[in-house]
Amino acid sequence: MKLKLYISLVFSFITFLVNAQDNIITATVSKNKLGVNQRLRVTFAIKKQGGDNFKAPNFNNFKIVGGPSQAISQSYKNGKLSFSQSYSYILQPKRKGELNIGAASIEMNGKTIKSNPVKIIVLDAVDLPKNPNDPNYIANQNIHLVAEISKSNPYVGEGIYVEFRLYFSENVGIYDNAITEAPQYNGFWNQEIKRNGTPVKMGKYNGERYRYAVLHKALLIPTKDGKLTIDPIKMDIIVAVPTGRADFFGNAITRQVRKEFASAKKIVRAKALPLENKPEDFTGAVGEFSFDVSLSKHTLKANESSQIKVAVNGKGNLKLFELPKIETPKELEVYHPERKEKVAITSSGLKGNVTDSYTVVPEFKGKYKIPKTSFSYFNPKEKVYQTITTDDLYVDVLEGKSLPTNNDANQVTKQDVKVTGDNFRYIQTASSLEPISTSDFFKTPLYYVLLLLPIIAIPVGIFINKKKEERDGDIVGNKLRKADKLAKKYLSEAQKQLGNKEAFYEALERALHNYLKAKLGVETSDISRDKITDLLQNKQIDNTTIKSFIDVLNDCDFARYTPITNVQMKEEYEKAKQVITQLDKQL
């Protein structure tokens, strides 16, 4: 047993040493697949100082078009010395097929260390520009803007995500980039997925090694079936392209060109939900959910309130369907439900819970049954409809008025007539009349008041009318007052929720979207921030006001997941009120 362990350790150590030596010199190519009339760059990189007698491989089946070009770099950072030396060749294949670039070698500490061999696939000739060294051509060959979707044929209501990536090879550099046209998601409910910066990662594009950065990522939920198109994203990029020449120190000389790149259109074919076995109470829920109906108090007194909580929890299109309505006995007074949403946006869809809370107040004592409630949804993984039914709930009211019955309401009590001496008195047939003393209205105080009232009312009316005309002529002031009144109208619900963070920011965001919906006639909740910016710019709104509006929307998203004080909520309310006022003035 000990002998086997010893042999295993020795073998592992030898393997480690071999791998460590193999990593000293590595071979990389600019492309693994090319046409027979194209060229590629092969670079042999040495990561350790002290190597001698570099020997390039015998490039059989390749023609050396350029090179070798040598580059050396050495730096000292944080107490560590880093060294890099490379030899590069420009090659052109002589024939089609699967070709190999052999291993290069160097001598280090009396040992010969070799690089890894590289396999190249050579295809038929391709169309080339007149000048293969044209910087624009090189930029197009080394930079690719790509849209990737997680699923191309989802069901209606099923969440997918789209990710826009910028791939760029190690042969070029990027100095500046800007998105000139944001993607459009017609036929989708969409929401941007927040990311922490845009780190550069390593990956493969068409089988070749590339660096890439994720520019934009969004959650998409199809709202209709059929062929849906994701429009491209467009960018302006400044690219540093190698010229094939090197400076005095062996560093490659580059040339900067500005190019516009666009991703290809993506097609999503959304499938309609099946009609077979579709429940009657289905309202569009798609995903994986749990459902529950609970009662905060089962025993209470008359006029004492209880809460009925209807909750759906899980992952799916949580914001795009209605929760089931509960049925209660008519003897229970039920108020309109309060909606609460605690939903997070992830790559796999919306995740969290949606709740309706009903306030119930009984008037009469007794025991009341709240019938069972069912909730149906479509599970896209299992491709079936599923229904969850809750149990009956009972409310026991111990104290209060008794519930009146039909017999009590219709019963007439019969009593005997009691005769007394005054019940049927003799009706008097004669009367004695006397004159009524009257006072004269003429010259009374009330007479003079009513006489002078019109005379006093005329100048008062003239004064009020003059003030009204001045107020009506104040166009700026009227716009401000009207805008302020409109802002208070839309923000009234948010003002009621001050102190309740989640409800406040949900109401605040809903108020901003409802305002734009009323003013612009579009469903702004279904479009991106960039689209809202375009709509407002088309209405000639100044950029400062647009930025303030977008900032409030972004703050609503950010604040739901961070600690917020009441003072901050009041400041956010005033900021929203001010931005609506400014928008209404300009609209």
Side-chain angles (χ1 to χ4, degrees):
M1 186 69 180
K2 291 183 178 180
L3 181 61
K4 290 182 179 180
L5 179 61
Y6 177 75
I7 294 173
S8 177
L9 290 173
V10 171
F11 180 76
S12 299
F13 181 70
I14 293 173
T15 303
F16 172 77
L17 290 178
V18 171
N19 290 334
Q21 290 182 352
D22 288 343
N23 290 330
I24 291 176
I25 177 171
T26 57
T28 57
V29 292
S30 59
K31 56 183 69 178
N32 298 89
K33 188 183 296 185
L34 70 161
V36 70
N37 59 335
Q38 290 183 297
R39 300 174 179 180
L40 65 91
R41 179 190 296 269
V42 59
T43 301
F44 301 97
I46 303 167
K47 298 180 180 179
K48 190 174 181 181
Q49 196 171 6
D52 294 318
N53 298 327
F54 171 79
K55 290 183 180 180
N58 184 5
F59 294 110
N60 294 327
N61 301 314
F62 290 94
K63 178 183 176 181
I64 300 177
V65 180
S69 59
Q70 183 179 357
I72 299 175
S73 66
Q74 186 172 339
S75 62
Y76 193 81
K77 187 177 181 180
N78 297 329
K80 292 184 179 180
L81 179 66
S82 63
F83 172 82
S84 176
Q85 182 178 6
S86 64
Y87 297 87
S88 298
Y89 296 83
I90 305 297
L91 306 178
Q92 183 172 345
K94 296 179 180 178
R95 62 179 180 85
K96 296 189 297 181
E98 190 175 288
L99 309 181
N100 287 320
I101 297 177
S105 65
I106 59 169
E107 293 182 2
M108 186 170 290
N109 298 328
K111 295 181 180 180
T112 301
I113 301 174
K114 295 184 177 181
S115 67
N116 54 297
V118 181
K119 184 183 295 183
I120 303 295
I121 297 175
V122 183
L123 306 173
D124 292 331
V126 299
D127 293 333
L128 294 176
K130 293 181 180 179
N131 180 14
N133 294 321
D134 180 20
N136 292 305
Y137 171 74
I138 296 174
N140 285 333
Q141 293 296 310
N142 290 274
I143 292 181
H144 309 279
L145 191 54
V146 179
E148 298 183 357
I149 54 177
S150 59
K151 194 173 184 179
S152 60
N153 57 340
Y155 283 99
V156 172
E158 181 182 1
I160 63 173
Y161 71 86
V162 60
E163 189 173 271
F164 291 92
R165 293 183 176 185
L166 178 65
Y167 285 92
F168 52 101
S169 74
E170 297 177 338
N171 300 321
V172 297
I174 293 179
Y175 282 88
D176 190 18
N177 64 87
I179 296 176
T180 58
E181 187 173 325
Q184 301 297 315
Y185 307 113
N186 297 319
F188 295 94
W189 181 94
N190 69 88
Q191 184 70 48
E192 182 181 355
I193 299 174
K194 301 294 184 181
R195 296 168 293 108
N196 295 324
T198 54
V200 177
K201 302 178 182 178
M202 298 302 299
K204 285 193 174 182
Y205 176 76
N206 287 342
E208 298 180 17
R209 181 182 173 89
Y210 274 82
R211 295 172 291 175
Y212 74 90
V214 178
L215 304 174
H216 178 77
K217 193 172 184 178
L219 171 68
L220 307 179
I221 298 178
T223 57
K224 61 181 180 180
D225 62 297
K227 181 180 176 181
L228 305 177
T229 303
I230 300 175
D231 291 336
I233 187 173
K234 295 182 180 180
M235 296 185 67
D236 268 349
I237 302 176
I238 297 178
V239 188
V241 179
T243 60
R245 296 179 290 119
D247 60 14
F248 177 79
F249 299 99
N251 299 316
I253 298 175
T254 60
R255 175 184 173 185
Q256 293 186 7
V257 294
R258 181 183 290 274
K259 287 283 295 177
E260 183 180 63
F261 295 86
S263 62
K265 283 187 178 181
K266 282 289 183 179
I267 302 298
V268 175
R269 301 187 184 276
K271 297 181 290 187
L273 297 176
L275 298 176
E276 185 179 359
N277 299 324
K278 184 177 180 180
E280 293 183 0
D281 62 345
F282 178 72
T283 58
V286 178
E288 299 178 53
F289 303 106
S290 61
F291 176 65
D292 182 57
V293 178
S294 59
L295 195 62
S296 63
K297 294 180 182 179
H298 292 271
T299 303
L300 61 160
K301 302 176 182 179
N303 298 322
E304 184 180 359
S305 65
S306 179
Q307 299 288 326
I308 300 177
K309 185 177 178 182
V310 180
V312 172
N313 184 74
K315 182 175 66 176
N317 58 342
L318 283 165
K319 293 189 175 185
L320 304 179
F321 60 84
E322 290 296 325
L323 268 61
K325 305 295 182 184
I326 61 168
E327 296 181 4
T328 58
K330 61 181 180 180
E331 292 81 9
L332 298 178
E333 185 176 0
V334 181
Y335 293 91
H336 189 74
E338 178 187 2
R339 170 65 60 90
K340 288 186 178 180
E341 295 179 355
K342 188 176 182 181
V343 180
I345 300 169
T346 66
S347 299
S348 56
L350 298 174
K351 189 176 182 180
N353 60 75
V354 180
T355 305
D356 277 349
S357 295
Y358 295 81
T359 300
V360 180
V361 181
E363 185 177 355
F364 304 98
K365 67 179 180 180
K367 191 169 186 179
Y368 305 98
K369 182 177 82 171
I370 299 173
K372 57 188 177 183
T373 308
S374 62
F375 169 71
S376 297
Y377 64 95
F378 180 76
N379 189 324
K381 288 186 177 179
E382 300 182 7
K383 300 179 180 180
V384 294
Y385 290 98
Q386 296 179 341
T387 300
I388 303 173
T389 304
T390 62
D391 297 328
D392 295 333
L393 297 177
Y394 293 92
V395 178
D396 196 1
V397 184
L398 301 180
E399 297 180 13
K401 297 183 293 183
S402 297
L403 185 67
T405 62
N406 292 333
N407 293 333
D408 294 336
N410 298 326
Q411 185 176 1
V412 178
T413 304
K414 183 178 181 181
Q415 297 180 351
D416 295 333
V417 177
K418 296 179 180 180
V419 179
T420 64
D422 296 332
N423 282 104
F424 301 99
R425 291 181 296 177
Y426 173 74
I427 299 175
Q428 189 173 353
T429 57
S431 62
S432 58
L433 300 177
E434 297 179 0
I436 301 174
S437 61
T438 59
S439 59
D440 195 354
F441 174 68
F442 182 67
K443 294 185 179 181
T444 61
L446 181 60
Y447 167 79
Y448 288 108
V449 169
L450 294 177
L451 182 65
L452 296 175
L453 186 61
I455 300 174
I456 298 172
I458 290 173
V460 172
I462 294 172
F463 177 78
I464 294 173
N465 186 60
K466 186 176 179 180
K467 288 295 182 181
K468 183 178 182 300
E469 289 177 353
E470 291 177 0
R471 187 182 180 92
D472 292 341
D474 184 10
I475 298 175
V476 176
N478 286 336
K479 284 186 176 181
L480 283 173
R481 285 187 287 272
K482 182 179 178 183
D484 190 60
K485 184 178 179 181
L486 189 66
K488 290 179 180 179
K489 172 188 172 184
Y490 280 98
L491 296 172
S492 60
E493 182 62 29
Q495 188 178 24
K496 295 177 184 177
Q497 300 296 341
L498 279 170
N500 186 351
K501 185 183 75 171
E502 293 180 5
F504 169 75
Y505 282 103
E506 288 172 5
L508 188 64
E509 184 177 14
R510 188 161 54 248
L512 294 174
H513 282 293
N514 287 341
Y515 171 77
L516 286 187
K517 176 182 176 182
K519 284 292 181 181
L520 305 180
V522 295
E523 288 288 347
T524 58
S525 59
D526 294 337
I527 60 178
S528 63
R529 304 283 198 267
D530 294 334
K531 184 63 177 177
I532 292 175
T533 301
D534 293 340
L535 289 171
L536 293 176
Q537 286 176 344
N538 291 337
K539 293 292 185 180
Q540 298 182 346
I541 305 300
D542 64 71
N543 293 330
T544 303
T545 305
I546 295 174
K547 184 178 183 301
S548 300
F549 187 88
I550 298 299
D551 286 344
V552 175
L553 283 178
N554 292 335
D555 290 345
C556 290
D557 289 338
F558 179 75
R560 296 180 187 176
Y561 311 104
T562 56
I564 297 294
T565 64
N566 291 345
V567 175
Q568 290 173 301
M569 280 190 274
K570 289 181 180 178
E571 292 176 353
E572 205 68 56
Y573 172 81
E574 293 298 331
K575 186 177 179 181
K577 178 180 171 184
Q578 183 179 3
V579 77
I580 289 180
T581 302
Q582 292 297 323
L583 273 176
D584 202 68
K585 281 175 57 182
Q586 298 178 49
L587 287 173

